[in-house]
Amino acid sequence: MELALVIGVIVIALIFDYTNGFHDAANAIATSVSTRALTPRVALLMAAVMNFIGAHLGTSVAQTVGKGIIDAPNGRQGLLIVGGALIGAIIWNLITWYFGLPSSSSHALIGGLVGAALAASATVQWGGVVSKVVIPMVLSPVIGFVLGGVIMIAILWLFRRTNPHKSSRGFRYSQTVSAAAMALGHGMQDAQKTMGVIFLALVVGGYVSPTADIPEWVITASALAISLGTYAGGWRIMRTLGRRIIHLDPPRGFAAEAAAASVLYTAAMGFGAPISTTHTITSAIMGVGATRRLSAVRWGIAGNIVTAWVLTIPAAALVAALSYFGLHLIFH
């Protein structure tokens, strides 16, 4: 029975990874598609490939998710906690995708782990949650907003005497690079979160030691699932990010992607912090838009997005707790 539960949890984790891919595809490519730097299918294919590569560039975020958020008990109880967490995160992802809200798959997963652990009276590492999740959750959008604005001001100053049409065409090419960098950062961050959860399931199931390295098959499976999800595309959220927050042109698209990618790399490589790709690119887009004039940003839509951000962890935690109770009734 426990082997079947471990396999079931791994399958659910890969389904979550797939929904993460199509939910967050917009993060990597919405700006490039909306400025017509890339066609949607080419952009999605490039993002899928870069996601796959990015997933292989380290495991520090996976270690944080697998070991630094909750202490799940060994055996069936621990597997039900992980399963409940994943179901909660998937359901919240699908709800926000349906309404076209770019919420965070990462925070849905973290909220799911915390909610399921609390429902099962397991230990939550609150110090890890605050230092590795809550503080980066608050800081990364602020840094993304400021950095997006700074990069955009630098571009406007450096290219102030350039022919606008010619510089716009140049930035359209540059956006191919910045979108690829963004997708690479998405792979480094989000695929690793699924690796961490699968590793946690293997540990509580008794199949690997808590001190072991993450197996290569876990890395490859997570990379593949998120890449396939990314290629499936999340058109509803792409519309929100690419067109509804501000009207993007190629220089602004490049500035937003460059700012967001910088924050993602720093968080993953420097701190092993599982930050939200969604929060980072959305706030960078707002920062870039604010350099035109504050009214250029559609703050009403931005407000709806921020509301979804605030609700994500508690809402996913609640759904995960209910999912855990459901699984407990079935498998107890």
Side-chain angles (χ1 to χ4, degrees):
M1 175 64 89
E2 281 191 11
L3 175 61
L5 270 176
V6 169
I7 293 169
V9 168
I10 290 170
V11 169
I12 295 169
L14 293 174
I15 292 169
F16 166 77
D17 206 20
Y18 181 87
T19 66
N20 188 339
F22 80 69
H23 191 279
D24 290 7
N27 298 337
I29 62 168
T31 52
S32 306
V33 172
S34 68
T35 61
R36 295 187 171 85
L38 297 167
T39 63
R41 277 292 156 207
V42 169
L44 283 168
L45 181 60
M46 180 204 68
V49 170
M50 297 308 285
N51 268 194
F52 187 84
I53 295 168
H56 286 83
L57 298 180
T59 57
S60 56
V61 172
Q63 302 283 358
T64 298
V65 173
K67 301 175 185 177
I69 306 298
I70 64 168
D71 291 331
N74 289 336
R76 187 179 302 185
Q77 175 85 336
L79 290 168
L80 294 181
I81 290 171
V82 179
L86 286 163
I87 291 168
I90 289 168
I91 291 171
W92 184 249
N93 263 1
L94 293 175
I95 290 169
T96 50
W97 166 80
Y98 180 79
F99 290 106
L101 289 171
S103 71
S104 168
S105 298
S106 314
H107 294 149
L109 180 58
I110 302 293
L113 286 168
V114 170
L118 289 174
S121 301
T123 304
V124 176
Q125 296 183 29
W126 291 111
V129 172
V130 170
S131 64
K132 294 285 189 179
V133 179
V134 175
I135 292 172
M137 179 176 82
V138 173
L139 286 181
S140 58
V142 174
I143 295 167
F145 184 91
V146 172
L147 194 58
V150 167
I151 291 172
M152 192 62 228
I153 289 165
I155 287 170
L156 290 170
W157 189 80
L158 288 168
F159 293 90
R160 66 193 185 282
R161 294 195 180 91
T162 314
N163 178 299
H165 180 70
K166 193 182 284 184
S167 65
S168 186
R169 194 168 67 231
F171 276 107
R172 199 164 273 148
Y173 294 124
S174 302
Q175 263 201 280
T176 309
V177 178
S178 59
M182 186 70 211
L184 191 75
H186 183 239
M188 285 171 68
Q189 275 282 344
D190 287 45
Q192 283 197 45
K193 290 156 194 165
T194 302
M195 291 175 213
V197 174
I198 294 175
F199 182 75
L200 181 60
L202 292 171
V203 169
V204 298
Y207 288 92
V208 297
S209 160
T211 56
D213 289 333
I214 292 173
E216 180 56 42
W217 70 264
V218 173
I219 296 171
T220 302
S222 301
L224 201 56
I226 202 166
S227 299
L228 290 172
T230 298
Y231 189 67
W235 305 107
R236 289 171 186 263
I237 294 168
M238 211 175 292
R239 204 172 301 120
T240 301
L241 275 182
R243 296 179 193 156
R244 292 177 63 200
I245 298 173
I246 65 162
H247 175 70
L248 284 168
D249 55 17
R252 283 178 172 79
F254 172 81
E257 287 170 342
S262 303
V263 176
L264 290 176
Y265 293 168
T266 304
M269 292 177 164
F271 304 101
I275 66 164
S276 168
T277 321
T278 311
H279 291 196
T280 311
I281 185 64
T282 308
S283 57
I285 289 172
M286 291 179 194
V288 164
T291 61
R292 185 182 285 163
R293 61 184 189 284
L294 283 176
S295 61
V297 179
R298 296 184 181 111
W299 294 106
I301 290 165
N304 292 341
I305 292 167
V306 171
T307 303
W309 290 0
V310 172
L311 286 176
T312 291
I313 289 181
L318 178 62
V319 179
L322 295 172
S323 303
Y324 166 78
F325 288 130
L327 290 172
H328 189 68
L329 283 173
I330 296 165
F331 291 102
H332 191 60

